[in-house]
Amino acid sequence: GEDVEQSLFLSVREGDSSVINCTYTDSSSTYLYWYKQEPGAGLQLLTYIFSNMDMKQDQRLTVLLNKKDKHLSLRIADTQTGDSAIYFCAVDTGFQKLVFGTGTRLLVSP
Amino acid sequence: GAVVSQHPSWVICKSGTSVKIECRSLDFQATTMFWYRQFPKQSLMLMATSNEGSKATYEQGVEKDKFLINHASLTLSTLTVTSAHPEDSSFYICSARPGQKYGYTFGSGTRLTVV
């Protein structure tokens, strides 16, 4: 089955850019998502990219997809303390099933 | 945008009792909804896919008699944890998708504590 991996932790200073990485194994994945989860809350959809795209930009967020390497990244420009949260990448296997990565805890310090 | 409402946000129940969690799509119809479980500091694991008007599809290892799912309308799915035990304590989250070109929207989650 699909396996989705992320680094567990990222620490940046306020104002810097953050890059969160994700790798997956199933090349037939259709949509790839990034979600944000704050403590005790549900998941907030940040952005998603279709598998035939290489890049998608939405305000401070940039998603890069390298299908050859099965690598997905989320770049947050001008990171703020309010961006501190856990970020999950998720891959749609094409059967209406999302497989989630392990989550990356982003800590933004002033 | 698409909103999924989940209720209650948290619940504490005694061991042996049953708890019902509701998931509603507020501004779209959802023939399919998804139920996930999340343990502390872990990722989300899909428990089951709820299908309107038919039986739910459970993931391997999930007890269907323990986690009863009902999807009686196009906007409401319920998850009932029957005869709850402390090991059922977890964060349960539902999800739905307004259409194929849209992302999956998640509810705010329900924290269940069984004492």
Side-chain angles (χ1 to χ4, degrees):
Chain A
E2 178 78 82
D3 190 24
V4 183
E5 297 283 340
Q6 297 177 239
S7 51
L8 291 179
F9 187 74
L10 176 65
S11 179
V12 301
R13 289 192 180 275
E14 194 172 24
D16 289 348
S17 292
S18 307
V19 178
I20 302 171
N21 295 301
C22 173
T23 59
Y24 58 99
T25 55
D26 188 349
S27 58
S28 64
S29 302
T30 53
Y31 288 90
L32 301 101
Y33 302 86
W34 283 103
Y35 287 91
K36 176 183 179 183
Q37 185 179 37
E38 299 188 55
L43 273 69
Q44 175 192 351
L45 176 63
L46 292 177
T47 186
Y48 61 95
I49 190 168
F50 189 52
S51 58
N52 67 353
M53 298 169 66
D54 298 324
M55 185 184 87
K56 181 178 180 181
Q57 186 160 1
D58 184 1
Q59 299 182 331
R60 291 192 297 125
L61 305 178
T62 303
V63 178
L64 294 178
L65 174 61
N66 183 327
K67 283 194 68 176
K68 176 175 171 289
D69 294 337
K70 301 191 186 81
H71 182 267
L72 181 72
S73 68
L74 175 69
R75 178 177 181 269
I76 306 173
D78 188 25
T79 315
Q80 303 297 307
T81 54
D83 294 325
S84 293
I86 299 176
Y87 290 80
F88 289 96
C89 68
V91 177
D92 190 333
T93 61
F95 298 98
Q96 288 204 94
K97 289 186 179 182
L98 281 188
V99 178
F100 282 83
T102 46
T104 299
R105 184 177 297 273
L106 174 65
L107 178 64
V108 184
S109 54
Chain B
V3 177
V4 172
S5 173
Q6 192 171 338
H7 180 81
S9 300
W10 59 270
V11 58
I12 302 173
C13 71
K14 289 187 177 181
S15 193
T17 61
S18 295
V19 173
K20 181 185 283 188
I21 303 169
E22 292 187 348
C23 181
R24 294 180 185 273
S25 56
L26 295 188
D27 48 2
F28 66 97
Q29 294 182 333
T31 55
T32 305
M33 291 186 175
F34 305 89
W35 287 97
Y36 291 83
R37 184 173 182 176
Q38 185 181 31
F39 289 104
K41 297 186 179 180
Q42 292 191 24
S43 189
L44 281 76
M45 297 298 294
L46 179 65
M47 297 174 64
T49 301
S50 171
N51 304 299
E52 188 266 335
S54 65
K55 291 182 180 180
T57 305
Y58 290 83
E59 294 300 300
Q60 194 171 5
V62 177
E63 299 176 60
K64 60 181 180 181
D65 295 329
K66 165 72 117 171
F67 299 101
L68 298 179
I69 290 172
N70 184 281
H71 194 152
S73 79
L74 287 171
T75 59
L76 174 64
S77 174
T78 61
L79 169 69
T80 302
V81 183
T82 62
S83 186
H85 290 284
E87 58 265 30
D88 298 324
S89 298
S90 190
F91 194 56
Y92 294 87
I93 314 177
C94 67
S95 169
R97 192 182 193 187
Q100 197 164 6
K101 294 184 179 179
Y102 298 88
Y104 292 83
T105 300
F106 284 78
S108 54
T110 298
R111 182 159 303 283
L112 170 63
T113 302
V114 185
V115 297

